[in-house]
């Protein structure tokens, strides 16, 4: 899922709005999508797509609990074993790495994959 609203990326104002509405409505992504649709200049025909975009943006970019530091050497090595067992089930693998999102873990593994071969 691309972090976009109606075919375009989030602007800074929309990110602040998402932070504020998430604080008020929690994980009610359908409600948040309706509010975004009402406040967006473009006509949005599919509220579920807006909700998915908001949810994706929150869980992969804006959530304050996301770990933003680089992987340590120990984490690098700990990533190898579960990937051999679980393959590309990133949500499962990420459970072993608190604070990392499945998207960050997947991207890190795939970008660094060549160095492990």
């Amino acid at each position: 899922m691309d972090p976009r609203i109606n075919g375009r990326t989030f602007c800074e104002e929309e990110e602040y709005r998402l932070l504020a509405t998430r604080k008020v409505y929690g994980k009610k992504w359908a409600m948040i999508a309706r509010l975004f649709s009402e406040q967006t200049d473009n006509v949005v025909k599919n509220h579920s797509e807006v909700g998915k975009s908001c949810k994706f943006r929150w869980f992969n970019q804006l959530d304050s609990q996301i770990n933003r530091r680089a992987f340590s050497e120990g984490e690098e090595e700990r990533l190898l074993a579960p990937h051999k067992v679980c393959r590309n089930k990133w949500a499962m693998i990420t459970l072993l790495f608190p604070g990392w999102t499945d998207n960050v873990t997947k991207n890190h593994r795939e970008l660094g994959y060549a160095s492990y071969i």
Side-chain angles (χ1 to χ4, degrees):
M1 177 56 140
D2 200 7
R4 296 172 179 258
I5 294 180
N6 207 24
R8 60 181 174 68
T9 57
F10 279 69
C11 68
E12 191 173 342
E13 176 191 333
E14 289 167 331
E15 287 188 350
Y16 286 122
R17 212 167 359 132
L18 178 55
L19 288 168
T21 54
R22 170 66 171 80
K23 194 178 277 188
V24 173
Y25 294 101
K27 295 180 181 179
K28 297 178 181 174
W29 298 110
M31 175 63 79
I32 292 170
R34 271 189 240 112
L35 291 170
F36 263 78
S37 299
E38 291 169 5
Q39 296 172 354
T40 304
D41 294 337
N42 299 336
V43 176
V44 178
K45 295 178 180 167
N46 190 344
H47 294 295
S48 68
E49 287 300 314
V50 174
K52 287 177 188 176
S53 293
C54 289
K55 183 178 179 180
F56 183 87
R57 188 67 174 180
W58 172 261
F59 282 111
N60 289 295
Q61 301 293 325
L62 301 176
D63 187 354
S64 62
Q65 296 181 9
I66 295 173
N67 195 338
R68 302 200 188 284
R69 63 173 174 72
F71 275 75
S72 68
E73 277 188 42
E75 288 170 327
E76 294 273 353
E77 292 187 16
R78 280 193 358 210
L79 182 57
L80 294 175
H83 185 257
K84 286 179 183 176
V85 174
C86 300
R87 302 305 302 155
N88 292 335
K89 295 182 179 171
W90 298 108
M92 279 177 71
I93 293 169
T94 302
L95 295 173
L96 303 170
F97 298 91
W100 297 106
T101 66
D102 54 345
N103 200 37
V104 168
T105 307
K106 172 188 66 88
N107 289 344
H108 178 77
R109 176 69 176 125
E110 288 181 355
L111 290 173
Y113 186 70
S115 64
Y116 296 108
I117 296 177

